[in-house]
Amino acid sequence: MTPQDDEVDRLVAAWRIERPDLDVEPLQVLSRVSRLAKHLDRARRAAFAEHDLEPWEFDVLTALRRAGKPYELSPGALLRATLVTSGTMTNRIDRLAQAGLVRRRPDPEDRRGVLVSLTETGLAQVDAAFAGLLRRERDLLSGLPPADQRSLAALLRLLLAPFDSPK
């Protein structure tokens, strides 16, 4: 072990002693990804909390924000963007509307449909929360030079692509 070793190095070394019959090499990458995900989750929650948002609220609000002006989507489009059930989305829209962050209006293209849009308050809150999130994420990556960050992003893209492709 060296002074630069991390917890994963210690974990892998212990498994190599205890189970020399197993190839524990995947732990070198995936245990680090798992540990990093926990740090990212904490940073994200802190960024959202600074702006009085829960992670699910941020997800819905950013889906609307990414849609561009007039920052509105149908509930079905929000479902696809956030990967939740329709009952869950209805509840989320209700709660966001009660908080004054979104509003519903009839869909002029479909008299049975509705559109959900950001209010001015929702737009300001999601923009501030997003800026705070990016600041925290930059801090998490600050130990890597920009070129290494780009290389890591490319490698992670390769790893994730099969999971993100349509089935």
Side-chain angles (χ1 to χ4, degrees):
M1 296 301 232
T2 68
Q4 297 92 332
D5 287 348
D6 66 3
E7 186 60 32
V8 174
D9 290 317
R10 291 183 280 282
L11 178 144
V12 169
W15 277 120
R16 284 187 175 138
I17 291 166
E18 292 300 315
R19 292 297 308 267
D21 57 311
L22 294 177
D23 174 13
V24 295
E25 205 54 31
L27 296 175
Q28 294 282 3
V29 173
L30 298 177
S31 289
R32 285 185 175 94
V33 168
S34 177
R35 293 174 68 80
L36 184 59
K38 290 175 185 169
H39 290 289
L40 176 59
D41 185 58
R42 282 190 210 114
R44 295 182 115 221
R45 288 178 181 279
F48 304 152
E50 281 179 358
H51 301 281
D52 298 317
L53 292 174
E54 293 292 328
W56 67 265
E57 292 171 310
F58 183 81
D59 287 346
V60 175
L61 296 175
T62 55
L64 290 166
R65 181 65 169 97
R66 288 189 313 268
K69 281 191 174 187
Y71 312 117
E72 72 183 1
L73 293 169
S74 69
L78 282 170
L79 284 174
R80 290 185 293 281
T82 60
L83 304 174
V84 298
T85 65
S86 68
T88 298
M89 183 52 67
T90 298
N91 179 272
R92 289 179 176 185
I93 293 168
D94 289 345
R95 291 171 65 185
L96 289 167
Q98 288 170 357
L101 301 175
V102 303
R103 74 172 75 71
R104 286 184 176 98
R105 71 176 185 92
D107 184 343
E109 307 284 317
D110 175 4
R111 61 187 188 116
R112 292 176 296 147
V114 298
L115 294 171
V116 179
S117 58
L118 285 175
T119 62
E120 287 184 30
T121 301
L123 177 63
Q125 203 161 346
V126 73
D127 279 353
F130 186 55
L133 172 64
L134 291 175
R135 198 169 37 256
R136 287 176 184 268
E137 289 184 352
R138 269 192 299 281
D139 288 347
L140 282 173
L141 293 170
S142 65
L144 289 177
D148 288 347
Q149 290 180 33
R150 288 188 296 276
S151 295
L152 179 58
L155 290 169
L156 290 171
R157 185 179 303 109
L158 286 173
L159 187 61
L160 284 171
F163 297 100
D164 289 342
S165 66
K167 307 263 186 249

